[in-house]
């Protein structure tokens, strides 16, 4: 079925995306468990393309709610459009200037920015409701936790092995991308793991170290969590999926993936982020404790023994 048409009341997006699998089967056997992909004609996304300014990059950049546009360029002067620097790594920066971002894209750079708010609201709301995320899809102020990202990638651009903490729903609108995928050892991660940024600067190195500490506590594997596994280890037994116009890919949170752009392409990704049970129960417990004077009392202790006696 086409993706995007609806009667103005309800967009059956999940059914449109996972066809021929029924939505309830997707939730039972796929969601948060394994990778799932479908392939069809580019006409499948035509209603959505209409809402995305017919994929006009200039208009999409003008309509993005992003405060800054991420740009990746070759780390080597004179490189071909989309060509990576040594080791498969590109240099990145941010710009608030849509015209400057567009010029970088024309010169061979790849771009990342949020999709128009109308499209984001439509897709995020539909998937959140149909996947049973309930009030967990929203922040306390009612704003959505999730978003829709746009990737305008040039041929040759590669995003090296990493995993995300979001549930990712990718729609390939033009061009082609090859995804290499491997199941990770951290179920429902609360942070991503981005080893390709570890060598950038002190701030990114610090973030990568925090990621590693967090995942080491939550890893389901028998061995210790490895924050920067060898590429050969990840590629051994990995799945290989080629997305072309009309393709859809679901990627559970915590799935290692490497993405190679085989030709100039444009895709959108719905990143779903929900409230986890630890936060729900932790906040509820905090509210109950604050109902008691002892729970509201500030800490005042001079030894561990004294602290234990106050908790007794």
């Amino acid at each position: 079925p086409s993706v995007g048409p609806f009667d103005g009341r309800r967009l059956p997006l999940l059914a449109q995306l996972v066809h021929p699998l029924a939505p309830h089967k997707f939730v039972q056997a796929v969601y948060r468990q394994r990778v799932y992909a479908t392939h069809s004609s580019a006409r499948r996304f035509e209603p959505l393309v209409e809402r995305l300014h017919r994929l006009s990059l200039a208009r999409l950049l003008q309509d993005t709610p992003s405060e800054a546009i991420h740009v990746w360029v070759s780390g080597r002067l004179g490189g071909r459009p989309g060509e990576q620097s040594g080791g498969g790594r590109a240099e990145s920066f941010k710009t608030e200037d849509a015209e400057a971002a567009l010029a970088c894209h024309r010169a061979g750079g790849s771009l990342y920015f949020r999709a128009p708010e109308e499209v984001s609201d439509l897709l995020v709301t539909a998937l959140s409701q149909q996947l049973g995320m309930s009030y967990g899809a929203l922040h306390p102020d009612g704003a959505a936790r999730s978003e829709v990202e746009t990737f305008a990638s040039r041929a040759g651009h590669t995003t090296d092995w990493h995993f995300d903490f979001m549930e990712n729903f990718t729609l390939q609108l033009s061009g082609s991308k090859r995804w290499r995928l491997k199941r990770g050892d951290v179920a429902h991660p609360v942070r991503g793991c981005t080893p390709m940024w570890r060598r950038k600067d002190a701030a990114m190195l610090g973030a990568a170290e925090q990621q590693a500490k967090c995942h080491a506590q939550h890893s389901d594997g028998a061995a210790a969590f490895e924050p920067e596994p060898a590429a050969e280890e990840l590629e051994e037994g990995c799945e290989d999926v080629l997305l072309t116009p009309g393709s859809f890919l679901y990627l559970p949170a915590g799935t290692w993936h490497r993405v190679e752009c085989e030709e100039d392409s444009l895709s959108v990704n719905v990143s779903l982020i929900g409230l986890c049970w630890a936060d729900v129960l932790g906040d509820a417990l905090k509210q109950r404790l604050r109902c008691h004077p002892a729970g509201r009392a500030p800490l005042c202790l001079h030894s561990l023994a004294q602290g234990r006696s106050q908790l007794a």
Side-chain angles (χ1 to χ4, degrees):
S2 295
V3 173
F6 70 115
D7 58 10
R9 295 187 299 275
R10 182 177 183 274
L11 170 63
L13 182 60
L14 185 61
Q16 294 170 352
L17 289 176
V18 305
H19 179 83
L21 198 63
H24 74 279
K25 291 290 186 182
F26 175 85
V27 172
Q28 291 174 358
V30 176
Y31 186 50
R32 301 190 298 188
Q33 299 172 60
R34 64 181 179 87
V35 170
Y36 180 78
T38 62
H39 305 280
S40 186
S41 145
R43 293 191 301 274
R44 176 189 192 191
F45 294 142
E46 187 62 24
L48 186 59
V49 167
E50 284 290 336
R51 296 175 179 273
L52 290 168
H53 305 304
R54 303 298 309 169
L55 307 187
S56 166
L57 186 55
R59 294 186 64 187
L60 287 170
L61 288 169
Q62 292 293 339
D63 201 16
T64 180
S66 293
E67 294 182 0
I69 299 160
H70 293 249
V71 182
W72 287 273
V73 296
S74 170
R76 178 175 56 190
L77 291 177
R80 297 189 305 274
E83 185 178 46
Q84 303 296 304
S85 57
R89 293 180 176 86
E91 300 297 325
S92 65
F93 63 91
K94 299 178 183 178
T95 178
E96 299 175 2
D97 189 331
E99 289 297 328
L102 186 59
C104 289
H105 184 266
R106 289 170 178 156
S110 296
L111 309 179
Y112 158 79
F113 53 95
R114 290 172 59 193
E117 288 188 0
E118 177 193 0
V119 173
S120 184
D121 291 346
L122 182 69
L123 301 185
V124 165
T125 300
L127 280 180
S128 298
Q129 292 176 346
Q130 291 155 35
L131 289 168
M133 295 175 68
S134 187
Y135 63 87
L138 305 175
H139 288 291
D141 64 359
R145 295 178 181 271
S146 307
E147 64 181 23
V148 179
E149 306 122 344
T150 307
F151 293 88
S153 307
R154 298 303 302 268
H157 178 81
T158 299
T159 302
D160 220 337
W161 287 101
H162 67 288
F163 67 73
D164 303 313
F165 68 93
M166 305 84 75
E167 305 293 328
N168 288 320
F169 295 74
T170 291
L171 288 65
Q172 190 69 31
L173 305 177
S174 69
S176 62
K177 284 184 176 179
R178 184 170 298 279
W179 292 63
R180 288 183 169 83
L181 312 159
K182 191 162 189 179
R183 187 188 183 102
D185 291 329
V186 183
H188 316 303
V190 297
R191 298 189 68 171
C193 186
T194 52
M196 69 281 202
W197 300 123
R198 290 177 67 87
R199 301 181 182 87
K200 287 291 181 180
D201 56 35
M204 290 186 174
L205 178 60
E209 291 175 348
Q210 289 299 317
Q211 291 174 352
K213 292 176 182 177
C214 176
H215 299 318
Q217 295 177 331
H218 303 161
S219 176
D220 298 327
F225 176 77
E226 173 52 62
E228 195 170 5
E232 294 78 10
E233 178 184 338
L234 290 168
E235 289 168 1
E236 182 179 357
C238 72
E239 294 183 64
D240 190 297
V241 179
L242 179 64
L243 299 189
T244 57
S247 295
F248 159 70
L249 174 67
Y250 164 67
L251 197 66
T255 303
W256 286 98
H257 54 287
R258 184 176 192 269
V259 187
E260 304 170 29
C261 190
E262 297 199 341
E263 57 189 28
D264 291 355
S265 76
L266 194 142
S267 60
V268 294
N269 183 76
V270 185
S271 294
L272 289 188
I273 305 170
L275 188 65
C276 69
W277 279 112
D279 290 331
V280 173
L281 298 177
D283 288 346
L285 179 59
K286 181 191 296 184
Q287 294 302 317
R288 293 300 300 169
L289 288 172
R290 285 178 172 172
C291 292
H292 303 277
R296 299 192 301 271
L299 286 176
C300 182
L301 54 95
H302 301 284
S303 68
L304 288 176
Q306 189 179 33
R308 292 192 182 100
S309 68
Q310 293 178 22
L311 288 173

